[in-house]
Each structure stands twice: as structure tokens, then as C-alpha cells.
Amino acid sequence: MAETPIKNHEYPPNYSRIIDVLGTSNGDILFAYYPHIYNPGGNNVSPDLLLHENIHLEQQNSIGVDEWWKRYLADDQFRYEQELVAFAGQYAYGKKVYKTKISDQMLSDFALLLSGPMYKTGVSYQQVHVAIRRKQKQYAK
């Protein structure tokens, strides 16, 4: 994986729009805005989280960053699908490099996040849990 430019202690250009749609965030959240990853809290970024954000950068690059963000913020299903792919890739990475107990916890945490209020997807914890587990198999090579 190529070195991704991370902008520590900075916010993405569309931050106010993100907050308008998804609500407030804490300093632990990263934002992919092609071609950078924004790290407002300046925290250390784990390799699995970096992979997650790089998947978003690839998604944005393929359809255009402005179009991606427009759809991401307007369409709950699109947001769910994009995050599902990123969490599945992150989980597959975790299964390869972390002990089972840790990767199992990752899956639970990701399902809780994606089914929770932050992403506003309307998909249940159990549905997300199953979907991530199934989708990660495409990365498990």
C-alpha cells in the first residue's frame, strides 16, 4: 500500500456539511477526502483503520470525490454500502494479523458502529454483523 498523505489536526473541506448531515463527531474520527486522510485529533492511526480509509479513497477516486461525498451524505443505502466494503476490508485485515479474540471484537465493534446512530443506515446490528462477515471473504486471499 502506498503511503497515504495524512493531514493531522485538519478537517476535510466539506466538514461542515458532514456535521450538518451526520451530526457532531469526536476527535477520534478520520475522514477520507481524496487524495488525503484527515485526522482532526492528530491521533495515531492503526494499520487496519488506515486500510479502511484507503478503501474510501479508492471509492472516491473511482467516481469522483465530490460525487462520492454528495451521494454518501444524501443516500443512506449508498453510505451503508460504502462503509460495508471498508469495514469488511478492515475486518479481513484484522483476521490476518490479530489474534482471533481481537478480530472477533473488531467485527462486533464494526457492526455496532455501522448499525448505530453515527452512520444513520437503519440496518440492524445482526444484519451488519452477518454482512461484514460475508463480505470480508472477498479480501481474505
Side-chain angles (χ1 to χ4, degrees), residues 103-128:
S103 63
D104 286 351
Q105 185 63 54
M106 289 172 73
L107 176 58
S108 295
D109 291 348
F110 298 162
L112 191 62
L113 275 172
L114 192 50
S115 65
M118 183 169 86
Y119 289 108
K120 300 180 180 181
T121 63
V123 182
S124 75
Y125 171 87
Q126 190 59 36
Q127 290 170 309
V128 174

Side-chain angles (χ1 to χ4, degrees), residues 5-26:
I6 297 177
K7 294 190 171 238
N8 289 310
H9 306 290
E10 292 185 41
Y11 293 90
N14 64 338
Y15 183 71
S16 63
R17 179 76 178 124
I18 295 168
I19 297 306
D20 287 346
V21 173
L22 298 177
T24 59
S25 70
N26 62 39

Side-chain angles (χ1 to χ4, degrees), residues 28-77:
D28 294 337
I29 296 175
L30 300 179
F31 301 92
Y33 192 98
Y34 189 84
H36 300 100
I37 294 172
Y38 290 83
N39 181 8
N43 301 310
N44 289 333
V45 180
S46 65
D48 60 278
L49 184 52
L50 187 60
L51 174 67
H52 178 112
E53 296 304 326
N54 271 294
I55 290 170
H56 288 321
L57 291 177
E58 291 170 11
Q59 293 166 336
Q60 292 170 6
N61 189 38
S62 71
I63 67 172
V65 65
D66 293 332
E67 179 63 22
W68 189 90
W69 272 107
K70 179 181 169 187
R71 291 179 65 191
Y72 186 91
L73 294 173
D75 183 341
D76 296 348
Q77 183 63 33

